[in-house]
Amino acid sequence: MILEIDDQLQLKKLEKTDAEVIFRTIDNQREYLGKWLPFVALTKKLADTQAFVDTVVKASEEKSEYVFTILKNSEFVGLIGFNGTDKSNQKTEIGYWLSEAYQKQGIMTKSVAKICEFAFQELQLNRIQIKCAVGNHSSSKIPQRLGFTLEGIQREGERLTGNVFTDLQIYSKLKSDD
C-alpha cells in the first residue's frame, strides 16, 4: 500500500525488507534520534529492527497497526504510523520520526496530514492523538500547524534514554474538526 503525498513524497506500508535501511538510519544517527526517542538505545543490532518490523508485518488482524516508511524521491527518510489503535472507540495515536538531513522541509507535516486523512476517511476513525515531549519543539510544531488541540500535559509520561522522565504534550484532532 502506498499513500501518495506529492510528486516527491510517499508513505509506503512497512515491509520486512525495510528493516535494514531503518536500522542503518538509526545506527548512523543515534545521538540525534536518541535525544527524544527511547527505542534508539534499545536498537543495538539489525535483529532488533527486524524484530520490530516482524511484529508489525506479522500482527494478527485485530492487533495490526498501519506503519509506513516515509520516502522522498524513493529514498527512506523516516517512519510514521499508528499505535494503540482502539477500533471500538475509533481512535489512535500517531508516532513519527525523521532523519536529521530531512528536517525543516515540511516532510513530516505533510506526512502527518496524509496519515490523518487516511485515518479519518479510509479507516473511519474519530480521534487522533499525538504526544510530544515537552521541549521537542520540532515535533510539537507539527500538530500545531495541522490544527490539533493541545489538551494538556501528561506529567513524566515517557522515560527517555538515561532513565530521565519527561512530560508529554497531548494533542488531539477529531474527525469533526476538519
Side-chain angles (χ1 to χ4, degrees):
M1 167 189 291
I2 294 177
L3 304 178
E4 298 285 344
I5 297 173
D6 60 28
D7 61 337
Q8 293 183 333
L9 297 172
Q10 298 177 318
L11 302 181
K12 181 183 69 70
K13 194 167 181 195
L14 187 67
E15 298 173 354
K16 193 170 176 64
T17 56
D18 295 319
E20 188 173 335
V21 70
I22 294 168
F23 175 75
R24 200 169 50 247
T25 302
I26 292 168
D27 200 38
N28 290 333
Q29 298 180 48
R30 287 190 176 281
E31 186 175 337
Y32 174 75
L33 294 173
K35 181 175 181 180
W36 300 113
L37 302 171
F39 71 83
V40 171
L42 305 173
T43 307
K44 298 177 181 173
K45 54 189 182 282
L46 176 57
D48 298 327
T49 303
Q50 287 171 325
F52 162 74
V53 170
D54 284 347
T55 300
V56 173
V57 171
K58 295 178 179 178
S60 65
E61 174 92 21
E62 65 271 359
K63 292 185 180 182
S64 70
E65 297 282 5
Y66 284 93
V67 177
F68 298 90
T69 58
I70 303 168
L71 304 176
K72 181 174 183 182
N73 297 322
S74 302
E75 183 178 336
F76 174 83
V77 298
L79 275 183
I80 188 168
F82 302 133
N83 67 59
T85 301
D86 179 344
K87 292 176 184 171
S88 64
N89 288 300
Q90 296 175 271
K91 63 183 182 175
T92 195
E93 182 176 327
I94 297 176
Y96 49 79
W97 62 268
L98 190 65
S99 185
E100 185 175 18
Y102 294 92
Q103 295 289 324
K104 302 193 184 317
Q105 297 177 32
I107 293 170
M108 194 54 75
T109 300
K110 290 177 183 178
S111 297
V112 172
K114 179 54 101 173
I115 203 170
C116 286
E117 176 186 304
F118 176 72
F120 289 139
Q121 293 180 7
E122 301 300 320
L123 303 180
Q124 296 298 305
L125 296 181
N126 182 61
R127 175 187 164 88
I128 298 170
Q129 178 172 287
I130 296 175
K131 295 179 184 176
C132 302
V134 171
N136 188 347
H137 303 295
S138 294
S139 185
S140 63
K141 286 178 184 175
I142 293 162
Q144 291 168 8
R145 276 188 212 109
L146 294 173
F148 278 67
T149 299
L150 176 62
E151 294 184 332
I153 304 295
Q154 184 180 29
R155 298 180 318 136
E156 296 189 1
E158 186 169 56
R159 187 172 61 181
L160 299 178
T161 304
N163 204 28
V164 175
F165 286 91
T166 187
D167 296 343
L168 297 173
Q169 296 170 308
I170 310 298
Y171 292 92
S172 71
K173 190 169 200 174
L174 304 178
K175 188 173 188 174
S176 61
D177 290 342
D178 279 345

